[in-house]
Amino acid sequence: MSEGTMQRAAQREDRAPRTPRAKRPRRALVCAIAVPVMLLAAACSSSDSGSGGDAGKTTAGDVKGSASTSASPSPTVQAAVYGKLPQACKVLSAKTLGELVPKGSKSGKESASSDVSTRAGCAWNSLDNNGVKGSQFRWLHVSLLRFESDATRGSGEKQAQEFYQRQVQDAQHAEDARNVKSEPAGGTGDEATLVRYDLKKKEGDFKQQTVVARVENVVVTLDYNGAGLAGDKTPDADGLAKAAQKAAKEAVTAVAAANGASGGTAPSTSSPSSSSSPSPSKSASKG
């Protein structure tokens, strides 16, 4: 049986306008010859000073407005809480792996990644082969995706929230999924959802459990399924769901611990920052 068959759920960026100088109005020199010289001088002087004052005010106001507009500050975003990811194949303890993938805890295979500080994943599988009496198969995959804050995309937490929603929706609409059920997975990060469904394959009936969790600017997606092969009984879906949620909590705690937090508590931050670090693309696949 190929590993790809088991990985159903894991396939899922002026210059300020120059103010024209007001034309200085021509002096009002159309004064009557019969008017006394003193009156003529006073009238002309009054006309000049009034017009000149208005032109000066208009030009100064326009320049001031242009300068104010060009001096607008550049936008900033909240700094991302987590700056790195744990090693994906070590987010789960040997005990937990022994429970979820019996005899396969050492089979961890790290996912390819161009930058393990933003994207990482690991998969395990096991086959308890009982020969003619049938076999029990288990497959487990954990993916981690971290988002950096960016002035154009928004904060790392906002991006993670959006990706979290998409991951949940992808799991709920998995191809060939039957009897799909969703429920909150309390106590796991800032928000988490468990999606359960059945998959019927030629090898047997698979019980799929997907837990999508977000902790600050990191999204953890854990896929776990099992099947009874060669005539063996189908595993209990409730038992698989309980095990998947336990493992997801452990993975979320590992993210916080990798960033210096204890007990899975995320460090707080309030300083705004504009980061130029690249963010995972919206089309990034899990792990």
Side-chain angles (χ1 to χ4, degrees):
M1 184 187 310
S2 66
E3 181 176 336
T5 303
M6 306 304 126
Q7 299 184 3
R8 172 68 59 188
Q11 291 172 340
R12 329 240 196 309
E13 198 208 247
D14 290 351
R15 296 173 61 179
R18 299 181 61 182
T19 304
R21 298 185 59 183
K23 293 184 179 181
R24 189 179 188 88
R26 294 181 179 181
R27 296 188 176 190
L29 299 179
V30 286
C31 303
I33 298 176
V35 179
V37 176
M38 292 182 63
L39 180 59
L40 174 62
C44 293
S45 176
S46 175
S47 176
D48 286 350
S49 61
S51 299
D54 290 342
K57 289 181 181 179
T58 300
T59 302
D62 288 350
V63 172
K64 183 178 180 181
S66 299
S68 176
T69 301
S70 62
S72 299
S74 58
T76 58
V77 293
Q78 183 76 15
V81 173
Y82 293 136
K84 60 183 179 180
L85 294 175
Q87 188 175 332
C89 289
K90 294 185 177 180
V91 296
L92 302 178
S93 66
K95 179 181 179 182
T96 298
L97 289 173
E99 295 173 353
L100 272 66
V101 282
K103 301 182 180 181
S105 59
K106 295 182 180 181
S107 68
K109 182 178 180 181
E110 191 169 354
S111 304
S113 174
S114 59
D115 184 0
V116 294
S117 72
T118 58
R119 181 186 288 101
C122 191
W124 301 261
N125 65 78
S126 70
L127 180 64
D128 188 4
N129 195 341
N130 296 318
V132 295
K133 295 182 180 181
S135 305
Q136 283 290 316
F137 176 81
R138 298 290 185 274
W139 179 80
L140 173 66
H141 182 269
V142 177
S143 71
L144 310 161
L145 200 63
R146 183 180 66 83
F147 294 85
E148 284 279 10
S149 293
D150 183 87
T152 57
R153 294 177 181 270
S155 69
E157 182 176 3
K158 175 179 177 292
Q159 295 178 67
Q161 289 172 336
E162 294 171 349
F163 184 72
Y164 164 82
Q165 293 294 342
R166 293 198 300 273
Q167 288 289 82
V168 172
Q169 292 174 7
D170 286 348
Q172 293 171 333
H173 298 88
E175 186 179 357
D176 299 328
R178 301 183 304 168
N179 304 320
V180 181
K181 299 177 181 179
S182 300
E183 59 188 77
T188 307
D190 296 309
E191 53 185 337
T193 299
L194 166 66
V195 180
R196 308 168 57 177
Y197 54 85
D198 300 333
L199 282 173
K200 188 174 183 62
K201 297 292 184 179
K202 62 180 181 180
E203 298 90 349
D205 294 328
F206 289 79
K207 298 294 183 179
Q208 173 72 34
Q209 319 295 320
T210 297
V211 180
V212 184
R214 181 187 66 82
V215 54
E216 299 292 354
N217 57 310
V218 176
V219 176
V220 176
T221 304
L222 184 143
D223 290 299
Y224 182 48
N225 65 41
L229 308 181
D232 207 348
K233 65 180 181 179
T234 302
D236 176 55
D238 290 338
L240 294 179
K242 184 177 180 180
Q245 291 185 77
K246 176 184 177 182
K249 289 181 181 180
E250 198 169 311
V252 166
T253 300
V255 173
N259 287 273
S262 60
T265 303
S268 60
T269 179
S270 58
S271 59
S273 172
S274 178
S275 172
S276 59
S277 300
S279 301
S281 65
K282 292 184 177 180
S283 61
S285 61
K286 296 179 285 296

